[in-house]
Amino acid sequence: MIGLISATAAGAVAAQRLASAWPERTRVYEGPVRDAVERAFGECEQVVCFLATGAVVRLIAPLLADKGTDPGVVCVDEGGRFAVSLVGGHAGGANALAVEVAEVLGAEPVVTTATDAVGVPGLDTLGLPVEGDVAGVSRALLDGESVELDLEIAWPLPPLPSNVRRPAPDAQAERGGPAIVVTDRVLDADGHPAGDARVVLRPPSLVVGVGASKGAPVDEVLGLIESALRDAGLSPRSLAELATVDAKADEPGLVEAATRLGVPLVTHSAEELAAVEVPNPSDAPLAAVGTPSVAEAAALVGGGELLVPKRKSERADGRPAMATCAVVRRPARGRLAVVGLGPGARDLLTPRAKAELRRASVLVGLDQYVDQIRDLLRPGTRILESGLGAEEERARTAVAEARRGQAVALIGSGDAGVYAMASPALAEASDDIDVIGVPGVTAALAAAAILGAPLGHDHVSISLSDLHTPWEVIERRVRAAAEADIVVTFYNPRSRGRDWQLPKALAILAGHREPTTPVGVVRNASRPDGSHRLTTLAALDPATVDMMTVVTVGNTATREIAGRMVTPRGYRWQENPEGAE
Ligand code: SAH
């Protein structure tokens, strides 16, 4: 919950704006500010004060306890010009909140945490639990000292600055100096010199398979899991999930154990588990739930290395054990984000796309698209750019990098899934990588917003490029759209070597629509040199259309109204204003 506190009328208005933007996330604290701050500090994960920073510093000073537990505090000035991340920048989420608040209020976010300021990701913002000397290693990173990265587990990390070095795998380097270790093992001091800063990042690499008899107490289940991890020298903070058989999905001891460990309880069918080869099958689960192994099989379903074979709980009262568990380290999964950059304008690039670009350590894309977002990339991002026509190679490269355990962003203009890179990439991709799709504003939508409301009823996009599609197929689709009276947006309408396709397609549509049917032509939508015009099927001169253009042809109901292209939503709705929106 985000507590909102204000003292003045202007502050109260701004607080109300946030409250109505985020009704579920915010609570407005009324009354004397000192008292309000105190209550909010105790009750909220984050606090936004519409007060001067000086006042807030004095109010919260006696309440501050620990950077790991204190709420993140953001201050907004009386004029609503700045949202200042005051304390709890990383752990309290105040830096991110300052940016969000600024967005709602149209203010400037002010973030002073050193690592954010220079574009280096804070070690506690990498999305992994972090232990150790975060301040010490962050300082070393910023000071340009050499920091060793020990990736015991390959994990798709965001880019790290160039002073982070991976020792050669065979080099018996003397250990020393500041280090970042990515591991699920509990580390002792093993050779790490005291006084050298070290942080440990905990990737979610461990799966614990669990079996339980009906009514197994949660403490027995938890005790078993904790001792299995402890005896194997594994950190519970690397636990990704508990896994079991479908029949145990509602077993209270398992459900509660997962909740307390803060991980999901994932279940698999008995058939799926029975097909997994395990070292220690037995007859009891076969009779009870139809698979010779629950714990080991559930842990091993996704592959990986069995670190702790099946073991049973121990009961102080000497009665039979009610729970079993096994621990598996799952194979590292790379990350492939397929990111649409939108039609060109920076403010039509979604915040999610921006975040994925900064999350990636490898960026793959067409050189002209890379230029569009180069300034957003974190220092250290490896850029693999190529020229027009190398689609398949780009797709293969992106997938290969992800399979090596990297965090990869594959970019495309508009939406990366529309006549773009998503399909060739996913046709290559195996199920051993995670794929994240980020939608983008595709050219048809960017153009429609400029033209008016041409897509108000059923519409279709057709690419006129016959490079990869035979013309007969394209023509059949144009004909179908013509007969079905569907609004059509043509992508790739015309290039220097391809000039007869557009007139031909328009002629097919003209066979079913009036010559006066509105046609919108939009070139370089949302870009500085963008242009558009509204014409008709009869009047459109195809020679004015090129590859930077989309052409949207209305249906038989589309009209030009006040200079805008409008396709009615339908007759029934217009006759019946109470109908569905
Ligand atoms: N993935 C892209 C489309 C790639 S196909 C998207 O979703 O928008 C390339 C074609 O898209 C171009 O020939 C042109 O017809 C169209 N296009 C892309 N960006 C455009 C823009 N800003 N303005 C007009 N048309 C655009």
Side-chain angles (χ1 to χ4, degrees):
M1 190 55 65
I2 304 171
L4 306 179
I5 295 155
S6 60
T8 63
V13 169
Q16 261 321 315
R17 274 173 68 193
L18 269 195
S20 44
W22 302 333
E24 315 271 280
R25 293 171 66 195
T26 52
R27 185 181 305 154
V28 176
Y29 283 81
E30 317 264 6
V33 278
R34 179 173 302 278
D35 177 54
V37 167
E38 228 174 275
R39 278 185 293 135
F41 226 72
E43 293 166 7
C44 299
E45 291 80 50
Q46 293 172 322
V47 179
V48 181
C49 296
F50 297 84
L51 297 166
T53 48
V56 179
V57 167
R58 286 175 206 289
L59 287 166
I60 64 171
L63 308 172
L64 291 171
D66 182 280
K67 135 172 165 166
T69 52
D70 288 337
V73 178
V74 170
C75 289
V76 177
D77 64 300
E78 179 78 8
R81 289 171 305 155
F82 302 106
V84 184
S85 166
L86 194 66
V87 296
H90 287 150
N95 290 352
L97 182 62
V99 172
E100 275 192 283
V101 167
E103 220 155 62
V104 173
L105 301 178
E108 180 80 19
V110 180
V111 173
T112 57
T113 322
T115 45
D116 280 1
V118 299
V120 173
L123 290 166
D124 50 355
T125 65
L126 298 180
L128 300 181
V130 57
E131 298 161 14
D133 186 359
V134 174
V137 174
S138 302
R139 209 171 313 119
L141 283 176
L142 284 174
D143 293 348
E145 263 180 72
S146 174
V147 175
E148 182 180 299
L149 174 65
D150 187 356
L151 264 184
E152 273 193 22
I153 307 238
W155 207 260
L157 291 173
L160 296 164
S162 55
N163 51 326
V164 175
R165 301 217 171 82
R166 290 188 65 179
D170 47 354
Q172 271 306 347
E174 345 57 272
R175 300 274 154 137
I180 301 170
V181 187
V182 181
T183 185
D184 53 24
R185 292 189 310 121
V186 175
L187 299 181
D188 47 28
D190 56 356
H192 191 77
D196 280 347
R198 176 170 75 174
V199 296
V200 180
L201 296 172
R202 297 292 183 197
S205 51
L206 301 176
V207 179
V208 174
V210 280
S213 315
K214 198 167 167 49
V218 59
D219 289 338
E220 185 173 335
V221 175
L222 272 178
L224 172 66
I225 294 170
E226 280 159 8
S227 68
L229 292 172
R230 194 172 48 241
D231 295 350
L234 297 168
S235 168
R237 301 184 82 191
S238 274
L239 192 56
E241 61 183 46
L242 296 189
T244 188
V245 64
D246 284 346
K248 298 291 175 185
D250 298 321
E251 183 62 38
L254 296 188
V255 174
E256 179 60 21
T259 308
R260 290 205 209 159
L261 289 166
V263 296
L265 176 65
V266 175
T267 68
H268 305 278
S269 71
E271 298 82 74
E272 202 180 345
L273 297 187
V276 179
E277 221 169 286
V278 297
N280 302 296
S282 76
D283 292 336
L286 186 60
V289 287
T291 165
S293 165
V294 173
E296 287 182 351
L300 280 166
V301 163
E305 182 191 351
L306 185 63
L307 302 177
V308 181
K310 178 172 80 177
R311 57 193 268 172
K312 293 183 179 169
S313 49
E314 281 164 23
R315 289 178 61 108
D317 59 11
R319 287 209 249 144
M322 296 187 80
T324 55
C325 88
V327 184
V328 161
R329 178 180 290 141
R330 49 182 190 180
R333 292 175 72 80
R335 194 170 192 281
L336 174 63
V338 185
V339 181
L341 301 181
R346 177 55 60 84
D347 59 355
L348 290 180
L349 175 80
T350 66
R352 191 180 297 187
K354 210 181 277 184
E356 283 297 340
L357 295 175
R358 296 175 66 74
R359 172 71 183 75
S361 62
V362 180
L363 182 89
V364 183
L366 188 66
D367 40 17
Q368 71 196 65
Y369 300 150
V370 174
D371 286 341
Q372 213 173 302
I373 44 85
R374 206 180 289 273
D375 62 300
L376 293 174
L377 303 175
R378 289 208 202 260
T381 309
R382 194 147 56 89
I383 300 175
L384 304 174
E385 47 192 324
S386 44
L388 263 177
E391 275 85 16
E392 306 233 327
E393 184 203 316
R394 270 199 295 283
R396 256 197 304 277
T397 306
V399 171
E401 289 289 338
R403 295 193 71 184
R404 286 182 46 222
Q406 304 288 324
V408 182
L410 175 63
I411 57 172
S413 82
D415 183 279
V418 176
Y419 309 123
M421 293 306 298
S423 346
L426 299 201
E428 286 284 326
S430 37
D431 66 0
D432 55 355
I433 58 172
D434 290 326
V435 174
I436 294 102
V438 182
V441 178
T442 187
L445 299 185
I450 292 168
L451 294 169
L455 308 183
H457 212 286
D458 300 331
H459 54 276
V460 66
S461 291
I462 297 180
S463 167
L464 292 184
S465 167
D466 53 2
L467 224 55
H468 303 293
T469 310
W471 174 254
E472 299 75 63
V473 173
I474 299 172
E475 188 174 317
R476 180 150 53 89
R477 292 178 185 174
V478 176
R479 213 170 281 291
E483 283 164 9
D485 197 24
I486 296 175
V487 175
V488 182
T489 301
F490 291 116
Y491 281 66
N492 301 307
R494 184 170 178 276
S495 67
R496 235 172 294 145
R498 253 186 336 96
D499 56 5
W500 56 264
Q501 288 86 346
L502 179 63
K504 175 89 192 169
L506 293 172
I508 295 170
L509 291 176
H512 297 261
R513 300 178 195 181
E514 294 296 326
T516 53
T517 303
V519 175
V521 179
V522 182
R523 183 168 195 281
N524 275 335
S526 92
R527 297 186 187 141
D529 53 348
S531 63
H532 69 280
R533 64 188 181 284
L534 199 51
T535 172
T536 62
L537 259 183
L540 173 68
D541 175 7
T544 59
V545 172
D546 65 9
M547 275 301 271
M548 319 302 291
T549 310
V550 283
V551 177
T552 298
V553 182
N555 66 15
T556 50
T558 305
R559 296 285 172 269
E560 182 185 327
I561 298 171
R564 303 185 188 98
M565 184 171 173
V566 180
T567 302
R569 281 208 45 197
Y571 305 119
R572 209 178 301 166
W573 172 70
Q574 286 185 331
E575 280 163 17
N576 168 20
E578 282 167 49
E581 199 202 356

